[in-house]
Amino acid sequence: MTGVQTCALPIFFPFAFSYRPVQKIKRQAAANPFGYQNKIISSASGIEAEYYTPAVYHAETRKTKKGLKKIYQIEVPKDGLLYVYFPWKKENNGVQIDLNGCKKIAYACWLSPSVVYVPTKAGETTAKITVTMPRNFIFKDEQLFVLDLSRFRKASAVINRRAAQKIQVKNKSIFCEIDGKTDEALFLSVPEDKAGWRITRNGKKITADTFADCFISIPLQSGKNKIEMHYRVPMFKIGGVISLLTLSALVCYEVLKRKNRLSAG
């Protein structure tokens, strides 16, 4: 009804898929989350490309009675989505971003987002972002990027063709099957936790690798791969024993305390 373009797209990556682990990707979200995502998509799809590219924009800073106002005029891409990221070191409850007149959000504070999608309206050639902030708040090296949807669609199509079959997730367990090769690995959209996951491949226990310092990656064998994963909370048994001993000590203390009262009486 309003003509505002949202980021709800029929482009997605499956929960689990095979890929060729060519390079190790180090997490660098604090430095450049867009470059980090470029490496992730390139590695996952096998198509080396710049999926996020710097946006074309003009910025100016104005003084206000309460602080500063920085205004960005950004060129709207024909087949892309706009995202912004303003690196900051200290929280400040006085920072607010107006996203192209569509909505306002608090920024640089507890639970605020880091990378923000900029909604645009149909037919717009420029989008406007206004950052209102106190004078003592400083950020530099702002990052305004465009996600190239044509490239992203191609990568998504390739990855979806490699999706795992018969995926089942239930009761802290994951089951899936996938055809693979010895130079491939299985990506799972599950945060890595080597201490918690127990993983088997075709009935044999294995140790998983890590994809992009974040997700689970399982080396594959040539042919059918039947993967089973079961999660156990690390140190759960030890924690239970400690809790039981503590409870026993408290019960003994109360029993001795009552006996001493009866003896004194």
Side-chain angles (χ1 to χ4, degrees), residues 14 40 55 57 85 92 101 106 108 125 128 131 133 156 164 176-177 192-193 197-198 226 228 234 251 260 263:
I40 287 178
Y57 67 92
Y85 170 51
N92 193 308
T125 56
K128 181 180 178 181
V131 183
M133 54 194 160
S156 176
C176 69
E177 294 182 10
E192 67 91 14
D193 184 354
W197 285 107
R198 303 291 184 269
K226 185 177 180 181
E228 292 190 16
V251 171
N260 289 334
S263 300

Side-chain angles (χ1 to χ4, degrees), residues 1-6 76-77 100 102 117 119-126:
M1 295 294 289
T2 61
V4 176
Q5 181 184 18
T6 68
V76 175
N100 201 31
C102 297
Y117 165 71
T120 56
K121 300 172 185 176
E124 279 188 327
T125 56
T126 59

Side-chain angles (χ1 to χ4, degrees), residues 60-71 94-97 130-139:
E60 62 172 310
T61 303
R62 300 175 184 175
K63 291 184 179 180
T64 64
K65 291 182 179 180
K66 295 183 179 180
L68 299 173
K69 183 179 289 187
K70 196 160 186 178
I71 303 170
V95 182
Q96 187 180 68
I97 303 180
T130 303
V131 183
T132 304
M133 54 194 160
R135 292 184 183 179
N136 63 348
F137 180 81
I138 299 174
F139 67 82

Side-chain angles (χ1 to χ4, degrees), residues 99-115:
L99 297 168
N100 201 31
C102 297
K103 66 176 181 178
K104 295 180 180 180
I105 63 168
Y107 199 76
C109 59
W110 188 57
L111 293 182
S112 68
S114 296
V115 175

Side-chain angles (χ1 to χ4, degrees), residues 32-250:
N32 185 340
F34 303 104
Y36 175 65
Q37 291 184 72
N38 280 339
K39 291 180 180 180
I40 287 178
I41 301 170
S42 295
S43 179
S45 66
I47 305 174
E48 190 75 27
E50 293 294 311
Y51 296 93
Y52 289 89
T53 57
V56 178
Y57 67 92
H58 169 75
E60 62 172 310
T61 303
R62 300 175 184 175
K63 291 184 179 180
T64 64
K65 291 182 179 180
K66 295 183 179 180
L68 299 173
K69 183 179 289 187
K70 196 160 186 178
I71 303 170
Y72 297 84
Q73 298 286 351
I74 315 169
E75 289 188 13
V76 175
K78 291 183 179 179
D79 190 22
L81 300 176
L82 292 175
Y83 292 88
V84 297
Y85 170 51
F86 301 102
W88 49 276
K89 293 183 178 180
K90 293 183 179 181
E91 291 185 4
N92 193 308
N93 293 323
V95 182
Q96 187 180 68
I97 303 180
D98 184 320
L99 297 168
N100 201 31
C102 297
K103 66 176 181 178
K104 295 180 180 180
I105 63 168
Y107 199 76
C109 59
W110 188 57
L111 293 182
S112 68
S114 296
V115 175
V116 180
Y117 165 71
V118 181
T120 56
K121 300 172 185 176
E124 279 188 327
T125 56
T126 59
K128 181 180 178 181
I129 296 176
T130 303
V131 183
T132 304
M133 54 194 160
R135 292 184 183 179
N136 63 348
F137 180 81
I138 299 174
F139 67 82
K140 60 180 181 178
D141 301 326
E142 61 265 44
Q143 299 172 24
L144 291 79
F145 275 72
V146 174
L147 173 60
D148 188 317
L149 290 180
S150 62
R151 293 176 181 175
F152 193 61
R153 289 189 189 97
K154 292 178 182 178
S156 176
V158 169
I159 291 172
N160 274 279
R161 286 197 292 270
R162 301 180 191 153
Q165 304 90 33
K166 300 179 181 179
I167 300 174
Q168 190 176 20
V169 181
K170 65 176 183 179
N171 299 329
K172 300 180 182 180
S173 297
I174 300 173
F175 307 88
C176 69
E177 294 182 10
I178 189 167
D179 293 326
K181 299 178 181 178
T182 53
D183 62 343
E184 293 181 337
L186 175 67
F187 168 92
L188 290 120
S189 186
V190 177
E192 67 91 14
D193 184 354
K194 293 181 180 179
W197 285 107
R198 303 291 184 269
I199 304 173
T200 62
R201 180 189 60 206
N202 295 331
K204 294 183 179 180
K205 185 178 179 180
I206 62 168
T207 300
D209 295 326
T210 303
F211 179 89
D213 277 350
C214 187
F215 300 103
I216 290 178
S217 176
I218 299 174
L220 296 177
Q221 294 179 327
S222 182
K224 285 281 185 183
N225 290 262
K226 185 177 180 181
I227 308 296
E228 292 190 16
M229 301 171 58
H230 304 280
Y231 188 80
R232 294 180 180 178
V233 178
M235 307 297 286
F236 178 78
K237 289 183 178 180
I238 295 176
V241 170
I242 293 173
S243 298
L244 184 60
L245 290 174
T246 302
L247 180 60
S248 299
L250 288 172

